[in-house]
């Protein structure tokens, strides 16, 4: 109990075993949190990402953290919201599971997530936050080796939504 935390902040500043990047399928950078992570990590991150040959929506790939305080970056392309009829819920759930599977496989005990898909990709926030905390909670129950998972929310509205979702678990 109590292994999921919600904070407000900048994910690029977090000194954890792994931060998650809300990427796109190219894994070659973009705007939002993806742009911030690449800027803070430095050009070595993009160089490693080029060797990965992209990633499918809902899957994840791991790199080193380079100049970030975090040891690793786990890159996951979330679904673009198209109204809910194109498997968006299951794809978003798969992002959280895939990232946590990679974290566990790489010995990461502390993992920080941004709010995947709720920016440029327009996934409805309250729907996304419920899916996220449900998947994280389910995974942690099966993987006691992961010590802490945080949602690092950039703004107060996002933080409030994840807090509400966590309280409903
Ligand atoms: N720390 C934590 N959260 C942040 C930060 C930060 N430094 N910066 C932004 N956010 P978005 P998406 C929040 O748009 O919807 C990129 O171009 C932001 O406020 O970054 O999954 C990719 O390359 C929002 O709550 O990701 C893709 O093309 C959340 O992160 C596309 O955007 C996610 O917003 C992915 O879109």
């Amino acid at each position: 109990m109590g292994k999921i935390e919600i904070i407000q902040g900048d994910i690029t500043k977090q000194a954890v075993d792994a931060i998650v990047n809300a990427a796109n399928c190219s894994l070659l950078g973009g705007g939002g949190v993806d742009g911030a992570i690449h800027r803070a990590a430095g050009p070595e991150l993009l160089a490693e990402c080029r060797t990965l040959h992209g990633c499918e929506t809902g899957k994840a790939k791991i790199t080193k953290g380079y100049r970030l305080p975090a040891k690793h970056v786990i890159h996951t392309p979330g679904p673009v919201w198209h109204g809910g009829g194109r498997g968006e819920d299951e794809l978003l759930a798969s992002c959280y599971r895939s990232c946590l599977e990679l974290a566990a496989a790489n010995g990461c005990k502390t993992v920080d997530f941004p709010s995947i898909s709720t920016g440029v990709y327009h996934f409805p926030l309250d729907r996304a936050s419920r899916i996220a905390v449900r998947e994280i909670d389910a995974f942690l129950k099966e993987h006691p080796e992961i010590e802490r998972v945080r949602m690092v929310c950039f703004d107060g509205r996002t933080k409030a939504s994840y807090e509400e979702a966590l309280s409903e678990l």
Side-chain angles (χ1 to χ4, degrees):
M1 285 301 287
K3 288 169 125 190
I4 305 177
E5 295 177 15
I6 316 295
I7 64 164
Q8 189 169 345
D10 179 347
I11 203 165
T12 68
K13 309 275 194 242
Q14 309 306 323
V16 289
D17 291 333
I19 62 167
V20 171
N21 181 15
N24 59 63
C25 291
S26 78
L27 299 185
L28 299 179
V33 70
D34 192 5
I37 288 172
H38 276 272
R39 275 194 300 279
E44 298 90 344
L45 179 62
L46 182 59
E48 183 174 358
C49 284
R50 286 192 199 286
T51 70
L52 301 176
H53 307 294
C55 185
E56 285 172 47
T57 301
K59 303 281 175 53
K61 293 192 177 177
I62 191 166
T63 65
K64 290 188 275 191
Y66 299 99
R67 299 177 201 179
L68 290 165
K71 289 186 200 132
H72 298 90
V73 182
I74 299 174
H75 306 262
T76 186
V80 178
W81 181 256
H82 289 290
R86 295 202 204 169
E88 293 96 327
D89 289 348
E90 180 46 38
L91 286 166
L92 186 66
S94 174
C95 286
Y96 284 92
R97 281 198 302 273
S98 301
C99 289
L100 290 168
E101 277 162 14
L102 262 184
N106 285 275
C108 300
K109 295 183 187 304
T110 52
V111 183
D112 282 5
F113 282 91
S115 177
I116 299 166
S117 283
T118 67
V120 175
Y121 282 178
H122 285 110
F123 203 107
L125 178 59
D126 290 343
R127 190 162 172 146
S129 60
R130 287 191 180 92
I131 292 168
V133 299
R134 184 192 72 209
E135 292 302 324
I136 294 166
D137 182 59
F139 192 91
L140 288 174
K141 286 184 170 129
E142 302 296 323
H143 292 268
E145 71 274 22
I146 296 195
E147 290 170 1
R148 187 189 71 194
V149 176
R150 296 190 302 195
M151 292 300 312
V152 180
C153 304
F154 210 42
D155 57 86
R157 176 175 160 261
T158 301
K159 180 170 181 260
S161 179
Y162 282 86
E163 281 174 340
E164 174 76 19
L166 185 59
S167 75
E168 288 172 1
L169 263 190

